[in-house]
Amino acid sequence: MLDADFFRRWMTATAASVDREAQRLTDLDSPIGDADHGSNLQRGFVAVVATLEKEAPDTPGGVLTLAGRTLISTVGGASGPLYGTLLRRTGKALGDTGEVSEEQLADALRAGVDAVMALGGAAPGDKTMIDALVPAVDALSESFVAAKAAAEEGAAATTPLQARKGRASYLGERSIGHQDPGATSASLLIGALVEAAGE
Ligand code: ADP
Ligand code: MG
């Protein structure tokens, strides 16, 4: 079973991973965006870790809804409201129990990803974070390690796609040949589950 501490570790590991990879995320956002994805998420997850320490929510749902709210209020770019919605909706789906199963997390994360698609209007293949998140959620019933691999594959598979949502879509065919920054950061978020589980 996964308790509030697991979800706190998930957010802390994501923050560390975003911090390590911030330059790469910003570099990916430079040919097909405005070169701020790394700094956007860095700012957001620094705030998430600080707020979680201060308010110390004691349920899995509480940790994720607070993290989501914090991202929405601290990240200006498109990715803030989108990741914020992902975590907030996932947290809401987990309810207010003290422990959840991996299966409950998989179901809740699916609800979170659906909410991101509803908010941003992106479908799989549009070259966004959805291209990493959907395969990750599909693989989550197998294991965290499988979900991480699926997210990384999904992110790599955005390279030959033409962007149909977000800033990169303004480039039309010129968006082809670059890996999507948001799909890349989504693979960091999912990869951090493995770290949180100590696998
Ligand atoms: P901005 O585009 O406002 O500068 P960021 O650079 O932080 O914001 O985030 C860009 C990423 O957000 C993209 O790489 C893409 O994965 C994701 N994104 C943008 N628009 C959408 C959308 N409508 N649905 C899902 N993801 C999106
Ligand atoms: Mg950007």
Side-chain angles (χ1 to χ4, degrees):
M1 292 295 274
L2 309 169
D3 61 8
D5 276 337
F6 170 86
F7 287 87
R8 227 184 303 280
R9 288 198 301 279
W10 181 23
M11 292 298 103
T12 308
T14 303
S17 174
V18 161
D19 191 53
R20 272 195 307 273
E21 300 288 330
Q23 189 60 52
R24 177 166 165 248
L25 295 175
T26 286
D27 289 348
L28 289 171
D29 194 34
S30 105
I32 58 168
D34 55 354
D36 65 356
H37 191 56
S39 50
N40 280 345
L41 289 189
Q42 221 172 4
R43 183 169 61 253
F45 277 96
V46 163
V48 165
V49 170
T51 313
L52 287 177
E53 268 173 28
K54 198 166 127 235
E55 297 194 22
D58 57 3
T59 61
V63 170
L64 292 190
T65 50
L66 181 59
R69 260 193 282 135
T70 305
L71 288 179
I72 291 168
S73 62
T74 55
V75 180
S79 60
L82 293 165
Y83 275 123
T85 295
L86 174 70
L87 296 182
R88 213 169 54 161
R89 185 67 189 83
T90 302
K92 204 174 147 207
L94 290 176
D96 57 5
T97 51
E99 289 188 332
V100 300
S101 65
E102 292 185 17
E103 197 186 335
Q104 280 173 296
L105 171 57
D107 290 345
L109 208 52
R110 191 176 292 283
V113 173
D114 286 346
V116 175
M117 290 198 276
L119 175 67
D126 286 348
K127 197 181 181 98
T128 69
M129 58 175 73
I130 293 302
D131 293 324
L133 293 172
V134 165
V137 168
D138 287 342
L140 205 58
S141 54
E142 200 180 316
S143 68
F144 291 149
V145 172
K148 177 185 175 171
E152 286 169 356
E153 271 170 44
T158 62
T159 303
L161 300 177
Q162 178 173 334
R164 282 194 289 255
K165 288 286 172 218
R167 215 176 266 282
S169 67
Y170 308 156
L171 291 176
E173 287 183 2
R174 280 179 297 139
S175 63
I176 294 172
H178 303 280
Q179 182 166 319
D180 180 62
T184 309
S185 57
S187 74
L188 300 180
L189 175 74
I190 300 298
L193 281 170
V194 177
E195 280 183 68
E199 282 171 8

